[in-house]
Amino acid sequence: EKDGSGEPLPLEVIEARLAKCVELSKKSGGGDLPLLGYLTSDNRDTWAEAREELIRVGGVKMEEALKVLESGAVLICLDEEEPVSKKQASEIFWTGGLKSGHNRWFDKSIQLVCTKNGKAGMNGEHSMMDGMPVVGYCDFITKRSYNDVLVESSAKSSGGYESADDNVKDIFAECAGELTSTGSNVASHVEKSKSNFDNLISSHELQVQSFQGYGSNAIKKMGYSPDAYVQMAMQLATYRLWGEQGGTYEATQVRPFLHGRTETTRSVSPASEAFVKTMGIRPKRDEMDATKRAEKVALLREAVNSHVKYIGLAANAMGVDRHFLGLALSAKEGEAVPSLFSHPLYARSKTWRVSTSHLTHPRFDSWGYGEVVPDGVGLAYSIHPNNCMFCITSLREHDWPERLSHLLEEALVEMQTLNEMELAAPASKL
């Protein structure tokens, strides 16, 4: 028996079993069953109550089915949708959206999502993992093509494995009847969770800015750190969106330290403030004025250098936020905490209106996450050699993502124009 040997399954075995999964999902009567995936999208206490109802109604068979489902390290979601644009794909991989949200089990830390037209993505639950391990995981998956696996599998025998009919089972089949029986409240729980899910999804907006003007190659030629340069573009764009800077969080890795995860790099600084205020709430179109142009470029360079310095300190565990967190967590129950933690300025400084994170991989089209405060934006980004990608999220009521997408493009073009004109300007003669 080769199943369970720890060796990768041959491709034809995997394909046959996935095809069986699709076949079982389309069996008549399946559409009448409650869509249990919605339950996992709800408030944790609400889902816990619904889970108890599942077990009450389904008994031991339901417990066994849930145990099987929960034992898997990874969940594969096969969606019927056919997204084309980065925005469409991002919405599906983020939440499943209004059409495919039921086809998720959000308790899973890793869900690999495949759409009908061959696009693939991952939905990750953040508490157990950070960006770089996920990049490594996805790199392992994406660097090997279908043909690579096909060639490898052709050298293996598919004999000795269980057939798809024997191996693939509908784990809920034996308790499906109980879910819709008289006295079952499962359908009611699912309906409420679906309503909450639909409201949550409908209240959010996502935009993708696929900026094709330039990328890390051009930024390096200008003499800047690509990450810090793009952070300043985001500072300028959000300043123009709101008329003021908002507390900005950039995740910085501290993985060289034992159990290290992240520290906060704070993008709002005296240097970034001087830069965005000099650039103005809207473009001043004064690039032809050599003095003003030189001032803006100098302030940009100072802001970028200040940001690079902060990142270096944060990466060496010399930031401030994790130390404050450690101090707060060290307080024993009932013990008075320092007055600093209740100071309005401290609370404001920890309100991340702009939650940013940078992950770049040549085979990643887009990636992102939601805002972390109601009056903020989620701003994930990638800086490729010749382009930049931003995934922008916020509550729909603010109408911010589309505007911020435009302002990011505007800022990047304006910053490039300033640098190119300054570089081309003739040196002054004494």
Side-chain angles (χ1 to χ4, degrees), residues 35-142:
L35 299 172
L36 303 183
Y38 281 125
L39 299 174
T40 67
S41 71
D42 217 332
N43 173 279
R44 297 292 82 192
D45 291 341
T46 303
W47 165 214
E49 291 173 6
R51 191 178 186 279
E52 288 181 3
E53 176 64 8
L54 287 176
I55 294 171
R56 184 190 73 80
V57 171
V60 174
K61 291 177 181 178
M62 175 58 74
E63 283 192 281
E64 291 175 350
L66 291 173
K67 185 177 179 180
V68 171
L69 179 55
E70 291 162 1
S71 68
V74 175
L75 189 71
I76 296 177
C77 308
L78 305 178
D79 283 2
E80 291 292 320
E81 294 191 64
E82 300 185 51
V84 174
S85 69
K86 288 181 172 65
K87 180 177 184 293
Q88 289 173 328
S90 295
E91 288 175 338
I92 290 172
F93 300 145
W94 183 23
T95 64
L98 297 177
K99 292 182 180 179
S100 297
H102 64 277
N103 197 33
R104 302 288 183 272
W105 198 263
F106 288 106
D107 290 4
K108 285 295 177 190
S109 294
I110 299 175
Q111 298 185 85
L112 302 179
V113 184
C114 301
T115 66
K116 195 172 183 178
N117 59 345
K119 290 186 181 293
M122 174 186 156
N123 179 288
E125 194 281 308
H126 207 334
S127 65
M128 70 161 287
M129 56 194 176
D130 298 314
M132 292 312 296
V134 172
V135 168
Y137 176 73
C138 293
D139 176 73
F140 180 84
I141 295 173
T142 59

Side-chain angles (χ1 to χ4, degrees), residues 295-309:
E295 179 190 17
K296 290 178 178 179
V297 171
L299 289 173
L300 171 59
R301 198 165 296 282
E302 187 176 338
V304 166
N305 291 339
S306 173
H307 193 80
V308 169
K309 182 179 179 181

Side-chain angles (χ1 to χ4, degrees), residues 284-297 417-418 421-422 425:
K284 297 179 180 178
R285 313 296 183 194
D286 56 3
E287 293 87 354
M288 300 303 293
D289 186 317
T291 301
K292 292 181 178 179
R293 183 178 68 240
E295 179 190 17
K296 290 178 178 179
V297 171
T417 300
L418 286 168
M421 292 185 68
E422 187 66 7

Side-chain angles (χ1 to χ4, degrees), residues 242-277:
W242 294 324
E244 62 179 5
Q245 287 178 278
T248 305
Y249 175 110
E250 179 183 4
T252 299
Q253 298 287 327
V254 288
R255 288 175 59 76
F257 293 91
L258 182 65
H259 304 311
R261 292 189 61 169
T262 64
E263 173 57 285
T264 305
T265 290
R266 291 172 170 263
S267 304
V268 177
S269 66
S272 68
E273 178 191 30
F275 167 65
V276 300
K277 287 188 173 178

